[in-house]
């Protein structure tokens, strides 16, 4: 057996022995058994070498290993925080995690429970609630949350809120109003999405000239920057080009 293999085996079994002897068997034993290579390194850095506990590389390695074996760990951690400190900030963080996972009902409940007292008109919470309601398919309620935001926070500006407003109007079949909102977003929102959505609305309204103009402008403005656009924006350019073909 090559010397590196011997050393690797010694490290592996040594870490297992150390974990059992010191009682570190909650996550570590599972990690060491299922991911012997990277698990041994992470255990050595975080548990055996105290000086490495604050190492950014060590923390990152351990986090990736644990997330691989237990993808719901972060959500449970947020839930634990919520149980021990029932604050609006904890609720917001947990709600954002629920939105990321598509757990719309949980997100809506958390946002609503945070929107009380002095935070009843908090812009970030209202936008989060609108986002969760939109994801759940409650487009009118999502629109109502944004109307409350505008009513209680005059002058507040948000690209995401404006885009959500336009998308709710579109989903509610209020095509002309949605088109006007998308047109107002052109140049204000980042990327080509608003311009292409405006073109799609004008095409749905039967104004092919304005629709094609919007598609061409989007391709002209962003088409030369494809390598610098994120995947979602590249898809919007592809959509514009498809309607111009």
């Amino acid at each position: 057996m090559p010397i590196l293999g011997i050393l690797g085996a010694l490290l592996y079994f040594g870490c297992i022995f150390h974990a059992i002897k010191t009682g570190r068997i909650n996550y570590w034993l599972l990690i060491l058994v299922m991911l012997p290579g990277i698990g041994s390194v992470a255990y050595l850095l975080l548990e055996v070498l105290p000086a490495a506990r604050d190492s950014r590389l060590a923390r990152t390695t351990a986090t990736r290993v644990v997330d691989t074996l237990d993808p719901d760990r972060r959500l449970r951690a947020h839930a634990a925080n919520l149980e021990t400190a029932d604050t609006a900030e904890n609720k917001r963080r947990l709600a954002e995690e629920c939105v990321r996972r598509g757990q719309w009902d949980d997100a809506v409940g958390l946002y609503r429970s945070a929107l009380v007292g002095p935070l009843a008109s908090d812009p970030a919470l209202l936008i989060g609630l609108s986002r969760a309601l939109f994801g759940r398919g409650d487009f009118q309620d999502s629109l109502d949350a944004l109307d409350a935001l505008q009513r209680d926070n005059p002058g507040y500006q948000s690209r995401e809120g404006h885009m959500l407003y336009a998308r709710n109007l579109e989903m509610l079949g209020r095509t002309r109003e949605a088109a006007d909102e998308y047109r107002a977003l052109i140049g204000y929102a980042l990327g080509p999405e608003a311009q292409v959505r405006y073109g799609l609305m004008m095409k749905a309204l039967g104004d092919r000239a304005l629709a094609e103009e919007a598609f061409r402008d989007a391709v002209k403005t962003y088409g030369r920057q494809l390598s610098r656009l994120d995947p979602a924006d590249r898809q919007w350019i592809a959509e514009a080009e498809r309607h111009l073909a």
Side-chain angles (χ1 to χ4, degrees):
M1 180 182 292
I3 187 65
L4 290 179
I6 295 174
L7 291 175
L10 289 173
L11 174 62
Y12 173 59
F13 288 110
C15 288
I16 290 179
F17 176 77
H18 189 272
I20 295 173
K21 183 179 179 180
T22 58
R24 294 177 171 89
I25 58 174
N26 186 20
Y27 275 115
W28 282 116
L29 197 57
L30 179 62
I31 292 170
L32 289 166
V33 170
M34 297 190 67
L35 296 174
I38 192 171
S40 298
V41 173
Y43 185 86
L44 181 66
L45 289 173
L46 289 179
E47 299 294 347
V48 179
L49 301 177
R53 288 178 185 269
D54 295 327
S55 164
R56 182 178 179 181
L57 175 60
R59 291 196 305 270
T60 301
T61 300
T63 298
R64 288 178 178 175
V65 171
V66 174
D67 284 347
T68 298
L69 293 176
D70 189 2
D72 291 330
R73 179 181 64 88
R74 292 184 183 180
L75 187 58
R76 289 202 307 274
H78 282 304
N81 287 338
L82 184 59
E83 291 176 0
T84 57
D86 192 12
T87 65
E89 178 63 15
N90 278 334
K91 290 179 180 180
R92 181 189 64 78
R93 291 179 180 177
L94 180 55
E96 288 176 354
E97 185 70 17
C98 290
V99 166
R100 188 178 69 84
R101 294 169 177 270
Q103 297 171 335
W104 308 116
D105 289 341
D106 293 335
V108 169
L110 287 161
Y111 279 122
R112 288 197 188 283
S113 66
L115 283 160
V116 294
L119 295 177
S121 59
D122 182 80
L125 292 174
L126 284 168
I127 289 176
L129 174 61
S130 178
R131 188 192 314 120
L133 288 165
F134 183 90
R136 195 169 72 176
D138 294 339
F139 305 118
Q140 185 59 57
D141 288 343
S142 178
L143 196 65
D144 291 344
L146 294 172
D147 284 334
L149 168 62
Q150 293 178 334
R151 181 184 65 247
D152 297 335
N153 301 274
Y156 182 82
Q157 298 291 322
S158 166
R159 291 186 177 95
E160 181 185 8
H162 200 155
M163 180 65 76
L164 268 172
Y165 199 88
R167 294 192 67 192
N168 277 304
L169 290 172
E170 179 183 351
M171 298 304 294
L172 290 168
R174 296 162 62 176
T175 307
R176 171 58 67 179
E177 294 173 85
D180 291 341
E181 292 294 330
Y182 285 133
R183 182 175 58 187
L185 273 164
I186 297 173
Y188 170 58
L190 301 176
E193 180 180 356
Q195 199 155 17
V196 178
R197 285 190 181 276
Y198 171 67
L200 293 172
M201 292 296 94
M202 297 314 297
K203 187 173 182 177
L205 290 168
D207 196 329
R208 297 188 63 86
L210 280 178
E212 290 183 4
E213 181 182 355
F215 296 141
R216 286 197 191 92
D217 287 346
V219 173
K220 181 180 179 181
T221 302
Y222 298 98
R224 297 176 182 177
Q225 309 172 24
L226 283 179
S227 62
R228 289 180 287 177
L229 297 178
D230 62 34
D233 286 338
R234 288 197 291 270
Q235 289 179 6
W236 283 114
I237 295 300
E239 179 77 0
E241 291 173 337
R242 187 174 69 82
H243 285 277
L244 288 171

